[in-house]
Each structure stands twice: as C-alpha cells, then as structure tokens.
Amino acid sequence: EGRVSSVSVQQLIEQISHMNKAKMIDHVGGVEEGAYEIYNCVEKIIKQDILGCEMTELEGKDLGNKEDSTAPEEEVFGDVLWDAHDEQEQMEAFQQASNSTCELGFEKYFERLNDLVAAPAPIPPLLVSGGPGSGKSLLLSKWIQLQQKHSPNTLILYHFVGRPMSTSSESALIIKRLTLKLMQHSWLVSPLTFDPAKLLEEFPRWLEKLSARHQGSIIIIIDSIDQIQQAEKHMKWLIDPLPVNVRVIVSVNVETCPQAWRLWPTLHLDPLNSKDVKSLISAECNSANVKLTKEQEKKLERHCRSATTCNALYVTLLGKTIACVGNTGNIDEILQQCCQCQDTVSLYRLVLRSVQESLQSDREKGLLREILCVIGVSHNGVSESELLELYPQLTSSVLASLLHSLHKMCLLTYGCGLLKFQHLQAWEMVKLEYMEEGENTVSAYRQKLVDYFTMQLSRDRVTWRSADELPWLFQQQGDKQKLHKCLLNLFVSQNLYKRGHFAELLSYWQLVGKDKSSMAAEYFDSLKEYEKSCEGEESMICLADLYETLGRFLKDLGLLSQAVAPLQRSLEIRETALDPDHPRVAQSLHQLAGVYVQWKKFGNAEQLYKQALEISENAYGAEHPRVARELDALATLYQKQNKYEQAEQLRKKSFKIRQKAARQKGSLCGFALLRQRALQLEELTLGKDTPDNARTLNELGVLYYLQNNLETAELFLKRSLEMRERVLGCDHPDCAQSLNNLAALYNEKQHHDKAEELYEKALDIRRRALAPDHPSLAYTVKHLAVLYKKMGKLDKAVPLYELAVEIRQKSFGPKHPSVATALVNLAVLYCQMKKQIEALPLYERALKIYEDSFGQMHPRVGETLKNLAVLSYERGDFEKAAELYKRAMEIKEAETLLVGGKATSRHSSSGDTFSLKSTLSPNIFLEHGQR
C-alpha cells in the first residue's frame, strides 16, 4: 500500500537507489503478481542487454492476444538457430578455466604460443599436450586473456570441451558454433546448412571465405579436442592447409592423442618444479590463514616429485585439502594421509572421505552418494531443484552444505545452473568408490533419471532439460522402443531442433533405424493425430508452431517436397486462428517461400515473400528489422534470377533499416561496441604527427563509414593518409591501407575514377613492399579487378585476375580448391571478352582440381561442367556440349536424391562473376589495421 514494511526494507531500498546497475520495480498487489513482474523484467534484461535481442513493441497495434503478438524467439537471429545456453556454457567454462591466480611459470609457454601467431603461413595446428590435470586449460585461458588485452584486432574463437559424451563434445555443434561466431564477427548473415555431414564438410570453405573478410588474425582454440566424439573423423579440416591469417591451437591428453596428430608441432607441459609447487600450496594455505612449518614444506616438496604428484590439479587439490583441515585438525596427520595418495584419483578419494566424515548421519552420507552418482550418469549435469525433487528427503539446508563442501574441494562445479564434475578424475573416483557393480549401478541411476523426466513428460512439461536428458538416457540404456516414442513427442523434437541440436536429433533417429523419409512421414502422422485433440485458439497456435518446426526441419534435411505440406498447414492455421495480416502469418509465408527458392520455383517464392513484406510493413512499420529481413530474402531471390539491379536496390534499403535499428538499440553484430569505441577514439587528443595517431584517424574513418556517414569518414581517412605520408613516407604499406580505404569509400559513392586511381596507387605500393602471397596484396588485387570489371575495363582486369591465381597458388599450392575458383573467375572474364580459346584450359584445369579435391559428383564439379558445356556449344562442338551437360545434370540429380533437392551449391564455381556488397558488411572493403 505504498508504505515501507520494516527498517531493513527501508535500508535495502536506500542501498539500491545508490547503485547504478540495480533495477527497482514499484508494485502494488499480490506476491505472485509481484514475482511475475520481476520475472518479466529479468527476462527483458537478459534478452536485450545480454543476448542483444530486439524486443518487439506491438502495443497499440490490433494484433490479437498480446502474448502471441511477438514473433518466435529464435527469429531474433534470422533463420540461424542459436542456442544461448550452449554459448553461456562456453563463457562459464572459459571463466572457470582461468580463475586460478597462480601463473605456474607459464611465461615460457606464452612465448611459444606468441611465436606461433607471428610465424609465416602456412602452418599446421599447434598441439598443446600434457597429462590429465597438467594445466592445459588454465594455460590456454590465461593466454587468451593476454591476447584479448594486447591484440584487440585479433579474433579469438575458443571452445572448451567438457566431459566425453556431453553436449560440449558433439562435433557438429562445435563446428556450427564456430561458424556462427565467424559469421557474427564478419557481419555476414547467410543461409547455413544444419545437416551435420554437410556442416563438417563446408566448414573449411566458410573459414576461408570469412577469414578473407577479417582484417587481422583469427585464432581458433579447442581445448581437450581428443574428448570430442570421433575427433579424427570429424575434425579432418585441421589436416587441410589453413587460410593465411588463421592459426589453430588444440590441447590433448598425451595418452589419447590421435596418432596422425602427433606429427604436428607440439608444446608439451612439463611437470611443476618445486618453486611452483610451493607457491601453489602456499596460496591455498594463505587463503585459509594456515601456516606450514619448514619441515612440513620440505615434506610436501619431497612428495611432489613424481610425474603423477607434481601436476597442477594434484598440487591444487593437495593445497586445498591441507588448508581445509589446517585450522581444525592435525596438519601432520593429514600430510601423512596425503603422502600415501600417489595420483589425483586417490587424492580425490581422500577428499571425499573427509567430506563424508564431516556429515552428521548415515542418511546424509547416503544422500551424498546419490547426488554424486546421479550427476555422473546424466548427460549434461543436474540442477539443485531437480535433486530436491528426485530425493524428497533431501532438505535445502543439507544440500547447500554438501554442495559448498564439494565445490570448495574441486569435486563439483556449476555450468549454466547445472551441477557437474569439475574434472574427469573426480568422476573416475566416484565410479571407483560407489559403483563397484559397474554398468548395473550406472543403469540403475540412469533409470532413476529416466523415471523423473518421463514423469515430467506425462504432465506435458517439456523443458529444455527433459529434451536434453531423456532421449540421451534412452540411447545409453539401449532402449530403442522408448527412444522412438520419446522422439515422437513433438515438443521434445521441437525443443532440440529450435536450439540447433540438429545432429543429435538425427543420430537418435538413425539409432531407431529410420531414414529421413520415414522419419518425416512419422512426424507428419503424429502431428495429424495431435491435431485431433486441439481445441481453442491457444492450442491451434501451438499446433501451427509445431507444423512450422517440422517444415523447417525437413527443409534443412533437403526433403523439400515433404516440407511444403507442414509449412502450408501452419500457414492455414495461423490465417484462421489469428488473422490473415498477423505477423505470424508473415513468418509462415517466409518459411514456405524459402522452400520454393531451394526448389527453384522462383515465381511462387516471389509472391510469398512480397505478401510477407506487406504484412510486416503494416504490422511493424516500414523501418523495422523484420521488414529488412523480407527485403534481404527478396534481394537474394532476385540475385539468383540475375536481376542484379532490383537486388541491389532492396539490399541498400535493408541495410539502412538495419543500420538505423542497430544505432538505436545496439545489436548482436556489435554496433554498440563500435559506437563506444568511436567515442573513446574521439576523446583522444590527437597531438603531433605520429604513426599511432594516423592509425587512430584511419580507425575513426572506418567507424564513420560503418555508420554511413561518408562525408566525415572521408575527412578522417584523408587526414590519416596525409599524416602517414608525412611521417612514414609515400611508399609505406600503411599508406597503402589508407589509399585502399579511401578507394572503397569513393567506390561506395560511385566515384569510380577516383577509386580506380587510389586502388592503383595502393597496389603499386603493396607490390613493392609486401611478399607476393601477402593477404593485403591479394585484397587490393581482388577489389581493383572487380572495379575494372564494373567499369567495363576488361583488358585491365585480366592481368589482375591472373595475379589472383598466382597469389592463391603461392598461398595454398597449385591443387587447392581456392585456386580452382580463381581460375574459373578468370575463365568467366575471358568468356565475357569472347576469348573462349583462352577460357577453355582454365575451366579444364579448375575441373580437375575440383574433382581431385571433392570427388566426381560434387556440385562445384557440376557447375564447372555446365560452364564447359556452354563454352563447347558456343564453339560449335555440340556433341561434347551434350556430353558435358549430361554429366552436369547427373550430378544435379544425384544431389537432389541425396539431399532432397538442394541442387545448387552456395559456393558457385562462377566465383565473383558479379559483386554485391553484403547487407550487414559495410566494411567488406575497409581495413582497420593491426595494433
């Protein structure tokens, strides 16, 4: 009633009012209503401030039920299915790995890692090896922090693999996450396959394509890569030559490292020396105010000399054990017990027994056993609330006390709110201690989890937890019948698919012996059966979501003909249950159009996209990101039909909408960060002429360019160029960078003559100053060639396209697919110049490279055969043309059979026969330079 209920509440409110980041909600009403208000507020903060989502404000629009007026959650990121949970898990794994305050003499390793980054390309991945608990994760996380601090232009992508068979160890999810992170940093939104086999196959091409767009180095770090399921098979891209600006570092356990990888350059972590052992133990003891005598220190030093007792995990655990009992017990006694533990697993066993002894009753000891075992047999861990529901006799106070002890002693940790083992050795110890009967005990605990999550399903409670755990548990138990039934629960499959766990879902279906077509038929039959029980608007809207999910899933599988029916049904339901002009109807139209695009039915697709665009404009207004999405889709459609002028107009319109929205709210792609960086740079006092100040001016120019403020960008870029010429001389490579950026700006303003002059100057400097295969040289060559082509100066473009072939040959070797793409680009140019004789051998050589690299039936081979067929036809060799065209069609038909109609490769062999600026990548031609 507006009155403060107590002094303590008054003090709390006063404290909150002095905090910048606190949020206070004024509320008059019931407790449940208040909790609901807070929940909504927290959800909004998470979506907007943490995930960068755009909240859709539809108040004032007559769109029916308010809760249903926003588009489906994953649409915030376009058609890319992004699992924020997986991303959060990685952030927490990184923080956990780096939370040690001791450096453990890592400086010598840092130098070796720095040398790898600076070494000339091509260079194979660096292997960081060591025994279990030797500090590999700690080393990599500390080095990542240093790189992020000292090399802000370096893009670092990391993945920390957790326990084997957990979600973090699934290869397709790892590759999907790395690809999406690359796309995000490259300002690129493109269709991405979710077929696991294709995803793994296409990753090297994505890496090559996206690394070429990044100004600076890219470092990919995968910790515990040997824990990935079938690592050698699914990480084949590591063996291929990497792009020139990409470095890869992977860590492995010495015992489990695949044989083929042992030939790579290796950084092996030595055992800790006595000084590091002493500092680590002292740090733990000091944190608990425990003092060791000289004699005790010497005893510990003598003990920690074998290979198994001087690794980082063992010594950390040893220090914690001593610190834990130091104030309450006999240090000499615990030292004696520790010295009998000759490896980490036995030391963990000692830790567990000390926790057991601290418990009051046998009941609590029994609960400790249950908690550890049920966490161990789960897929990704167990939450506290789940433990309390699994064991009704377990009280919150007992659980809190147990978890505090287990967390403090490095047995358990938290990941995304789930309890899991902090190290593999802790789980090994639990199996030895509690699971004497082996698989029988494991099976019994798994059955307990199965019963718990099955009970949730029976109450129609399908959460991400039940979708994550239940199918996996059935798979582990080998119960195909129950797994099959679980998969046909449409909400379980929808949950997995919407979070991008595509490969996992497919693997379950393969286990129950169903191919893609029979799986599709079963899903559709289940949906029709479920539809019979649907009554009322709410259940019909839910049904439409299920039909749409099924349609998208089938489309991603390439089953285009089977995808149409569920998407069509979703559209019909939404038009009836909501309104023909509701935004969800636009969503259905968009998805259905996407199928028709892949099916090459462009007329149907255009009509649907235009309807979706009209609905979105009426619902959201003409300048909303949803409208930009429809414009992008239409532009891509026109581009496929060679209607380049119409496509370019739509892309420009879309870009302006996205840019405006990004400036207002910030976005996932980082406009907010760019704006903040621009302000920091503008606050700098630009004193006398220095290379650093010139670089700052260049960066400011780039940032204004990104904001489409071309006039201001031109001023800064010109000042940067003038200062560099004064300080460094006109022939310095930094001057070439400024010239290149100015040329890109003039190109954007359609001042092609000015752009040509500046690109030519930049090329001249870079040819003289840089190595023949330097990426910056390739960069200028490519864009000047495209400009010549645009201006119709084909004779001038030829030598540059020839130079592009040379550079790629020097960078990747003569038989690399990227060389073939460069050859095709040159051949296309010759064809435009009516020089078919010169084009023919280039196409033939490209064809040979593609066949050797990808096999006889790859889409790139088919595209090149088609080009050769056209060439043969134009030369009058009709028999050869027919033969080549027949082969091309066979490849197309074979691919249609394999993947259900995805008959065109996104990586067209026609290379850059046209050049369009990417909607979300205004900086494609601009170079930030390296700090």
Side-chain angles (χ1 to χ4, degrees):
E1 297 173 356
R3 293 196 302 272
V4 175
S5 57
S6 68
V7 176
S8 59
V9 172
Q10 180 65 49
Q11 289 172 345
L12 176 65
I13 290 172
E14 285 172 4
Q15 284 177 324
I16 287 170
S17 63
H18 289 101
M19 290 172 65
N20 291 330
K21 294 187 179 181
K23 173 85 172 172
M24 190 157 59
I25 299 168
D26 280 332
H27 166 68
V28 178
V31 175
E32 285 188 10
E33 194 182 325
Y36 182 70
E37 288 283 331
I38 292 168
Y39 177 87
N40 282 342
C41 182
V42 172
E43 183 181 41
K44 190 172 180 182
I45 289 167
I46 289 169
K47 284 184 175 178
Q48 284 186 318
D49 298 352
I50 299 174
L51 299 179
C53 300
E54 303 224 359
M55 300 299 286
T56 308
E57 300 295 337
L58 289 173
E59 288 78 16
K61 299 273 183 185
D62 186 16
L63 294 170
N65 187 306
K66 187 178 174 185
E67 283 184 27
D68 292 320
S69 63
T70 54
E73 193 171 310
E74 79 275 4
E75 288 308 311
V76 166
F77 306 110
D79 287 334
V80 171
L81 300 178
W82 179 277
D83 191 351
H85 174 273
D86 290 347
E87 193 56 34
Q88 179 66 18
E89 186 178 49
Q90 282 303 307
M91 288 163 64
E92 289 183 13
F94 172 66
Q95 287 161 2
Q96 184 190 316
S98 60
N99 65 8
S100 171
T101 52
C102 296
E103 295 294 339
L104 303 176
F106 281 166
E107 290 79 7
K108 59 184 178 184
Y109 303 130
F110 291 156
E111 286 176 21
R112 179 75 190 280
L113 291 167
N114 292 338
D115 290 343
L116 168 87
V117 175
I123 187 166
L126 178 73
L127 212 59
V128 176
S129 76
S134 56
K136 300 182 291 293
S137 305
L138 177 61
L139 168 68
L140 291 176
S141 58
K142 291 287 186 186
W143 185 71
I144 289 170
Q145 288 176 329
L146 287 173
Q147 284 292 311
Q148 288 171 336
K149 183 179 178 183
H150 298 302
S151 304
N153 284 333
T154 299
L155 171 60
I156 300 176
L157 306 177
Y158 59 78
H159 189 91
F160 287 80
V161 179
R163 207 178 70 186
M165 295 198 300
S166 67
T167 302
S168 67
S169 69
E170 288 175 15
S171 53
L173 276 179
I174 294 169
I175 294 300
K176 187 197 81 170
R177 179 178 168 270
L178 292 176
T179 308
L180 290 178
K181 296 290 278 183
L182 272 169
M183 288 168 70
Q184 177 187 325
H185 282 277
S186 303
W187 299 57
L188 183 73
V189 175
S190 290
L192 182 69
T193 179
F194 287 96
D195 186 321
K198 273 187 163 277
L199 194 65
L200 293 164
E201 178 197 324
E202 289 181 5
F203 181 66
R205 296 201 288 277
W206 276 111
L207 189 57
E208 184 184 324
K209 180 180 177 181
L210 297 171
S211 64
R213 302 166 71 100
H214 182 72
Q215 295 301 305
S217 299
I218 297 174
I219 302 172
I220 298 174
I221 295 170
I222 305 178
D223 181 49
S224 302
I225 194 169
D226 48 324
Q227 303 293 347
I228 293 174
Q229 299 157 32
Q230 297 180 292
E232 248 185 306
K233 177 185 173 185
H234 293 141
M235 294 288 151
K236 281 182 181 173
W237 61 274
L238 290 168
I239 299 168
D240 297 333
L242 297 166
V244 288
N245 60 334
V246 175
R247 300 289 181 272
V248 175
I249 300 168
V250 298
S251 76
V252 292
N253 203 329
V254 175
E255 293 84 5
T256 52
C257 176
Q259 195 61 41
W261 297 358
R262 294 175 188 261
L263 301 172
W264 293 344
T266 303
L267 173 61
H268 186 75
L269 268 60
D270 300 322
L272 298 183
N273 58 38
S274 55
K275 180 186 170 187
D276 290 333
V277 168
K278 186 177 177 182
S279 68
L280 201 50
I281 291 173
S282 297
E284 293 294 342
C285 290
N286 291 340
S287 66
N289 292 319
V290 172
K291 299 290 181 190
L292 298 178
T293 65
K294 292 287 183 188
E295 188 57 41
Q296 289 166 341
E297 285 180 356
K298 284 179 182 176
K299 188 172 185 178
L300 282 170
E301 193 182 321
R302 285 195 299 273
H303 173 62
C304 297
R305 282 181 179 170
S306 72
T308 54
T309 60
C310 62
N311 69 58
L313 177 56
Y314 182 94
V315 176
T316 302
L317 201 55
L318 185 61
K320 285 184 182 293
T321 307
I322 295 164
C324 191
V325 299
N327 286 322
T328 55
N330 185 329
I331 292 181
D332 286 323
E333 186 182 329
I334 195 68
L335 268 180
Q336 189 63 38
Q337 291 173 358
C338 289
C339 288
Q340 291 169 8
C341 301
Q342 293 301 315
D343 57 40
T344 308
V345 172
S346 57
L347 188 56
Y348 262 129
R349 182 174 270 181
L350 179 65
V351 167
L352 179 65
R353 285 179 182 163
S354 70
V355 173
Q356 286 171 335
E357 287 166 12
S358 69
L359 299 177
Q360 304 288 323
S361 64
D362 289 341
R363 186 176 70 88
E364 287 182 5
K365 289 175 184 176
L367 286 169
L368 171 66
R369 172 190 176 128
E370 294 294 306
I371 289 168
L372 290 172
C373 290
V374 85
I375 289 170
V377 301
S378 66
H379 188 198
N380 289 312
V382 180
S383 72
E384 289 182 34
S385 58
E386 286 165 352
L387 286 173
L388 290 168
E389 288 181 4
L390 278 162
Y391 300 102
Q393 70 274 33
L394 178 63
T395 63
S396 296
S397 55
V398 170
L399 179 62
S401 175
L402 280 174
L403 295 182
H404 174 71
S405 301
L406 296 170
H407 188 263
K408 185 172 71 173
M409 298 309 295
C410 299
L411 269 158
L412 295 183
T413 187
Y414 288 90
C416 288
L418 300 179
L419 288 156
K420 49 189 77 177
F421 285 100
Q422 195 158 333
H423 297 282
L424 275 174
Q425 292 93 322
W427 171 228
E428 291 298 323
M429 176 275 297
V430 168
K431 284 194 283 188
L432 290 171
E433 186 75 7
Y434 289 138
M435 298 187 168
E436 307 88 352
E437 296 177 35
E439 276 305 310
N440 290 339
T441 315
V442 170
S443 185
Y445 280 109
R446 281 199 179 128
Q447 190 57 48
K448 191 167 186 69
L449 284 174
V450 164
D451 294 342
Y452 171 74
F453 287 113
T454 302
M455 184 178 67
Q456 284 197 332
L457 283 193
S458 67
R459 297 174 184 168
D460 288 333
R461 281 179 62 198
V462 179
T463 62
W464 67 273
R465 288 290 298 130
S466 51
D468 262 5
E469 293 290 332
L470 199 52
W472 183 85
L473 287 163
F474 286 137
Q475 182 192 46
Q476 297 303 307
Q477 297 283 64
D479 195 332
K480 293 182 183 180
Q481 191 176 351
K482 285 184 179 174
L483 174 59
H484 189 200
K485 186 182 175 184
C486 178
L487 292 172
L488 286 174
N489 182 313
L490 301 162
F491 295 97
V492 170
S493 296
Q494 182 188 48
N495 195 297
L496 284 169
Y497 171 75
K498 280 198 167 188
R499 288 169 43 234
H501 291 225
F502 192 93
E504 192 179 337
L505 193 51
L506 274 186
S507 69
Y508 294 144
W509 277 103
Q510 285 164 2
L511 186 71
V512 297
K514 301 286 181 181
D515 63 14
K516 292 176 183 178
S517 294
S518 56
M519 175 194 72
E522 287 196 30
Y523 269 140
F524 200 58
D525 290 343
S526 289
L527 259 175
K528 285 191 283 187
E529 193 62 36
Y530 177 75
E531 188 170 349
K532 292 175 186 175
S533 64
C534 288
E535 292 178 6
E537 185 181 299
E538 194 175 328
S539 62
M540 290 305 287
I541 291 167
C542 177
L543 176 67
D545 288 347
L546 287 170
Y547 270 119
E548 185 190 273
T549 302
L550 176 59
R552 292 179 67 177
F553 182 43
L554 298 179
K555 182 184 84 168
D556 287 339
L557 281 170
L559 302 172
L560 300 181
S561 57
Q562 286 163 286
V564 170
L567 288 173
Q568 190 69 48
R569 184 67 189 124
S570 170
L571 175 62
E572 290 163 8
I573 294 168
R574 283 174 176 168
E575 284 179 329
T576 308
L578 295 167
D579 186 87
D581 292 328
H582 194 282
R584 292 268 181 112
V585 173
Q587 168 69 13
S588 288
L589 291 164
H590 179 94
Q591 294 299 338
L592 193 54
V595 175
Y596 285 128
V597 169
Q598 282 184 236
W599 216 351
K600 301 285 190 189
K601 295 187 177 181
F602 296 139
N604 302 40
E606 184 176 359
Q607 186 184 354
L608 294 170
Y609 277 140
K610 282 181 174 176
Q611 281 180 261
L613 177 62
E614 188 182 345
I615 293 169
S616 297
E617 284 179 333
N618 290 336
Y620 300 115
E623 295 191 340
H624 194 276
R626 296 267 194 272
V627 173
R629 179 167 168 260
E630 302 306 335
L631 290 168
D632 280 338
L634 263 173
T636 304
L637 178 66
Y638 287 142
Q639 189 174 310
K640 286 177 183 291
Q641 297 171 278
N642 300 329
K643 299 176 181 177
Y644 301 132
E645 200 173 319
Q646 289 167 273
E648 181 71 356
Q649 285 172 354
L650 293 176
R651 287 201 187 282
K652 283 183 176 176
K653 193 175 174 183
S654 163
F655 174 66
K656 283 178 182 174
I657 295 170
R658 290 184 187 279
Q659 188 184 48
K660 186 176 179 182
R663 275 206 297 268
Q664 286 171 349
K665 295 186 178 179
S667 76
L668 202 64
C669 292
F671 258 118
L673 293 173
L674 288 169
R675 200 164 61 246
Q676 185 183 353
R677 177 81 177 120
L679 289 169
Q680 290 170 347
L681 290 168
E682 285 181 290
E683 286 167 5
L684 291 174
T685 305
L686 297 176
K688 58 184 180 180
D689 291 358
T690 67
D692 273 351
N693 285 343
R695 182 170 59 244
T696 300
L697 286 165
N698 180 68
E699 289 183 1
L700 272 170
V702 172
L703 290 167
Y704 278 116
Y705 178 92
L706 292 176
Q707 294 170 10
N708 215 29
N709 188 343
L710 300 185
E711 303 309 318
T712 311
E714 185 178 352
L715 286 173
F716 278 109
L717 291 173
K718 278 183 172 177
R719 283 177 62 191
S720 169
L721 175 61
E722 289 161 6
M723 191 179 289
R724 281 173 164 171
E725 286 178 339
R726 284 195 300 271
V727 175
L728 302 168
C730 294
D731 293 335
H732 195 278
D734 284 3
C735 294
Q737 184 192 57
S738 292
L739 288 163
N740 203 91
N741 289 345
L742 264 173
L745 184 137
Y746 287 133
N747 192 29
E748 171 76 5
K749 293 169 80 172
Q750 305 296 316
H751 296 169
H752 294 148
D753 291 337
K754 282 186 180 180
E756 179 187 2
E757 182 188 347
L758 295 174
Y759 271 137
E760 284 174 347
K761 282 185 182 177
L763 179 61
D764 183 52
I765 293 168
R766 285 179 165 172
R767 264 183 159 160
R768 284 184 278 113
L770 302 176
D773 59 348
H774 196 282
S776 294
L777 176 60
Y779 192 80
T780 307
V781 166
K782 175 185 173 184
H783 294 299
L784 181 54
V786 171
L787 181 63
Y788 281 149
K789 204 170 174 187
K790 190 192 289 186
M791 295 170 75
K793 298 183 177 182
L794 303 186
D795 289 332
K796 277 191 161 189
V798 169
L800 292 180
Y801 275 101
E802 287 173 343
L803 182 57
V805 174
E806 284 177 35
I807 291 171
R808 291 197 186 188
Q809 285 184 155
K810 285 172 183 170
S811 299
F812 304 109
K815 295 181 180 179
H816 195 275
S818 65
V819 174
T821 303
L823 289 165
V824 169
N825 290 338
L826 181 55
V828 168
L829 188 64
Y830 278 137
C831 287
Q832 286 181 339
M833 297 169 75
K834 309 297 182 191
K835 294 184 176 181
Q836 280 84 358
I837 295 171
E838 286 89 341
L840 183 61
L842 299 173
Y843 274 133
E844 287 173 342
R845 188 179 156 202
L847 179 65
K848 178 76 169 65
I849 294 171
Y850 282 143
E851 285 177 335
D852 291 346
S853 301
F854 302 128
Q856 300 275 339
M857 300 300 286
H858 194 274
R860 284 203 192 184
V861 174
E863 290 285 336
T864 313
L865 285 166
K866 200 158 65 174
N867 289 340
L868 272 168
V870 171
L871 197 60
S872 299
Y873 185 86
E874 287 173 352
R875 296 179 67 206
D877 191 344
F878 303 125
E879 194 176 327
K880 187 175 181 184
E883 182 192 331
L884 291 166
Y885 194 75
K886 184 185 174 189
R887 270 191 68 196
M889 288 302 99
E890 283 170 0
I891 292 170
K892 188 173 183 177
E893 284 163 17
E895 192 185 9
T896 306
L897 289 171
L898 275 171
V899 295
K902 286 191 178 180
T904 53
S905 169
R906 280 194 295 279
H907 306 278
S908 170
S909 62
S910 59
D912 62 3
T913 53
F914 54 88
S915 173
L916 286 174
K917 197 168 167 191
S918 170
T919 7
L920 281 182
S921 300
N923 60 335
I924 183 170
F925 302 122
L926 288 172
E927 304 173 10
H928 287 264
Q930 293 191 5
R931 283 209 175 272

